[in-house]
């Protein structure tokens, strides 16, 4: 290169570089900082919900630890929607949408600022898959820090959590609870910051992320208000800096085998139905082949080991005291139900991380030994039939008889269904059909905790079936089937159900069947017309237009189908 060419090249690079560096100088950077890795801190802190109101202290701890480890922290925000607060309202339609918005935020900031790594901090349900999807899309060294679970509330000697409130609504409306008790449960159920306390969606996803290898051991069941959560976050920042040096990326960690590890832990802990939807989306972001049938394959070989709410006794803090997710994983590993050779963000394999984990303690009954499980097979069953040829998801544990055939009680929205329950118009043996609530029809696939909680509160959880093309809260249990696909808005058979039709839900044979002849269904289909979209502008309209089927994770960037 001639001197003139060299000088020209230097001038060109300098012109491109100087404004960039000037912006950093404005934030207090010095010359030596430009040799350090730039690490994003995706901070989900907000005062919208207690799930996220305790995250700022974790972001602060991450920033301090990153600086101490020789990195430059770059903090940016991600939004959140509180499922618990939005439940039963129009706002619930934004919940699943927020998963995509969070993923976009992480991908956009990491890609736009050329970050060398990212530490994602989240609390409420969609923070978890949204953050993970963004990490996988960006594919720079990354670690997920869960904001931590909530401590239980307490009233009349009983532990309380968010689901206690929804079930109290049903009990109060049925005349089974006094107004004073109802008000006290409402006031006491959530005593401080942290995510909902059972093995609901947030704790399910945090536990699965630990098993996946992208969160630190023990971190997924820590309480937000405890000091160990801050200490764990600082440790995560240190581990991330080492991962940057070793160039360990999320897609090096998220493989089909590590997805099997995550789903094994979901089954063993009795996790949320939402995990099916979210891990389909996570696998898509990782470009790993994974289908709804893989969940059924895993269900058949992994028992439920943990006695956790919503259908069991204990909360996430109890699981943590009993040994946490490492204790569960150790049982699974020793039983040959976990891949010990999978890489984790620590740089060690799963087996190496678990090597020092002690055997199950005899003084606890939260985690059962492999020879004495809660249930011999997993709890998240994939049902099929003429009502759900693409599949649907049922949580089948905790039920005395997971089979029902009964008359359809049809509702085209959640609010009218809830009103029917509260007015005592739903009787034992009925099968409620809640439709036009799917990814496109809702839009946004809202959760149905209000009606299912009311059914439980009225004592109908075992005797009334409920099917929907929407979703359920992680706190839901009972004779419920969600994610029915194809959805009603797309002309799925669920749109053709008439009031009084016979429907069978059979978790033994994995069937969801509308007991109506093919000729009659053909006549109904010929008369069916797709409804007008509920929204034609804004984020809900964009979601409805782009969303894939629930059987494909309801992702927005699946263009090949």
């Amino acid at each position: 290169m001639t001197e003139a060419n060299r000088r020209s090249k230097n001038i060109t690079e300098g012109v491109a570089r100087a404004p960039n560096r000037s912006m950093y100088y404005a934030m207090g950077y010095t010359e030596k900082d430009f040799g350090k890795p730039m690490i994003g801190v995706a901070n989900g802190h907000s005062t919208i919900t207690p799930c996220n109101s305790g995250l700022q202290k974790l972001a602060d701890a991450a920033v301090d630890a990153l600086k101490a480890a020789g990195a430059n922290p770059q903090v940016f925000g991600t939004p959140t929607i509180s499922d618990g607060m939005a439940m039963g309202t129009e706002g619930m339609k934004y919940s699943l949408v927020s998963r995509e918005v969070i993923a976009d935020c992480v991908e956009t900031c990491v890609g736009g600022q050329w970050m060398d790594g990212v530490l994602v901090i989240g609390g409420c349900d969609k923070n978890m898959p949204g953050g993970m999807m963004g990490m996988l899309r960006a594919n720079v060294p990354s670690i997920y820090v869960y904001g931590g679970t909530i401590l239980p509330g307490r009233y009349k000697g009983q532990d309380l959590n968010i689901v206690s409130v929804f079930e109290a609504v049903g009990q109060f409306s049925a005349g089974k609870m006094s107004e004073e008790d109802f008000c006290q449960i409402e006031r006491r159920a959530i005593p401080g910051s942290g995510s909902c306390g059972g093995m609901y969606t947030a704790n399910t996803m945090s536990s699965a992320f630990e098993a996946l290898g992208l969160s630190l051991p023990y971190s997924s069941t820590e309480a937000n208000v405890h000091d160990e959560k801050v200490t764990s976050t600082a440790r995560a920042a240190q581990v991330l800096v080492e991962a940057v040096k070793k160039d360990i990326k999320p897609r090096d960690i998220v493989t089909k085998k590590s997805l099997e590890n995550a789903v094994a832990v979901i089954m063993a802990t009795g996790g949320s139905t939402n995990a099916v939807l979210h891990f389909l989306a996570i696998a898509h972001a990782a470009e790993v082949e994974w289908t709804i049938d893989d969940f059924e394959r895993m269900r058949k070989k992994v028992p439920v080991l943990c006695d956790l709410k919503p259908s069991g006794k204990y909360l996430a803090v109890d699981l943590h005291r009993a040994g946490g997710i490492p204790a569960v994983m150790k049982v699974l590993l020793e039983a040959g139900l976990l891949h010990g050779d999978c890489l984790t963000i620590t740089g060690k394999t799963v087996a190496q991380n678990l090597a020092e984990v002690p055997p199950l303690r005899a003084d606890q009954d939260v985690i059962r030994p492999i020879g004495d499980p809660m249930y011999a097979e997993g709890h998240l069953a994939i049902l099929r039939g003429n009502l759900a040829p693409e599949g649907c998801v049922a949580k089948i544990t905790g039920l005395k008889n997971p089979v029902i055939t009964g008359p359809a009680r049809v509702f085209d929205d959640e609010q009218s269904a809830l009103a029917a329950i509260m007015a005592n118009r739903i009787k034992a043996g009925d099968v409620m059909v809640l439709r036009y609530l799917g990814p496109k029809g809702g839009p946004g696939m809202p959760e149905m905790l209000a009606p299912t909680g009311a059914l439980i509160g009225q004592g109908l959880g075992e005797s009334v079936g409920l099917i929907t093309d929407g979703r359920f809260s992680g706190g839901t249990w009972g004779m419920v089937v969600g994610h029915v696909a194809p959805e009603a808005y797309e002309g799925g058979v669920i749109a053709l159900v008439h009031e009084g039709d016979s429907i069978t839900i059979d978790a033994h044979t994995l069937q969801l069947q509308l007991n109506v002849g093919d000729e009659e269904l053909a006549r109904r289909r010929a008369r069916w017309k797709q409804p007008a979209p509920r929204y034609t502008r804004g984020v809900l309209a964009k979601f409805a237009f782009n969303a894939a089927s629930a059987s494909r994770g309801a992702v927005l960037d699946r263009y090949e189908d």
Side-chain angles (χ1 to χ4, degrees), residues 24 108-109 132 153 188 291 294 296 336 408 433 479-480 508-509 535:
Y24 286 108
T108 299
C109 287
M132 183 61 67
R188 295 168 184 257
T291 73
D294 286 308
E296 182 60 28
V433 179
M479 182 65 75
V480 297
H508 292 317
T509 61
Y535 295 87

Side-chain angles (χ1 to χ4, degrees), residues 136-192:
L136 285 160
R137 290 185 201 165
N139 200 35
V140 298
S142 308
I143 195 166
Y144 200 99
V145 172
Y146 177 44
T149 188
I150 205 167
L151 296 179
R154 195 81 176 163
Y155 180 60
K156 290 189 173 179
Q158 297 293 316
D159 282 347
L160 301 174
N161 62 88
I162 184 62
V163 177
S164 306
V165 183
F166 285 94
E167 293 182 359
V169 171
Q171 291 176 288
F172 180 57
S173 70
K176 299 178 181 179
M177 178 180 288
S178 70
E179 184 174 1
E180 173 64 18
D181 284 347
F182 174 71
C183 292
Q184 289 298 325
I185 289 172
E186 181 184 41
R187 290 169 188 154
R188 295 168 184 257
I190 302 175

Side-chain angles (χ1 to χ4, degrees), residues 418-442:
L418 181 60
I421 297 169
M422 301 299 283
N424 298 314
R425 298 202 304 270
I426 303 301
K427 306 299 181 184
D430 287 344
V431 178
M432 299 183 72
V433 179
L434 280 64
R435 64 190 182 188
Y436 294 103
L437 295 166
K440 292 180 178 293

Side-chain angles (χ1 to χ4, degrees), residues 26 31 244 248 284 357 361 366 380 457 481 508 513 538 547 560:
E31 184 69 25
V244 170
I248 301 174
H284 174 69
V357 174
R361 297 201 330 258
V366 183
L380 298 180
V481 181
H508 292 317
Q513 194 74 14
E560 65 269 28

Side-chain angles (χ1 to χ4, degrees), residues 87 278 282 318 327-328 376 391 410 440 443 473-474 491 527 544 552:
M87 203 72 67
H278 296 327
I282 287 166
D318 302 308
V328 179
V410 182
K440 292 180 178 293
S473 162
R527 295 193 296 267
R552 300 298 188 108

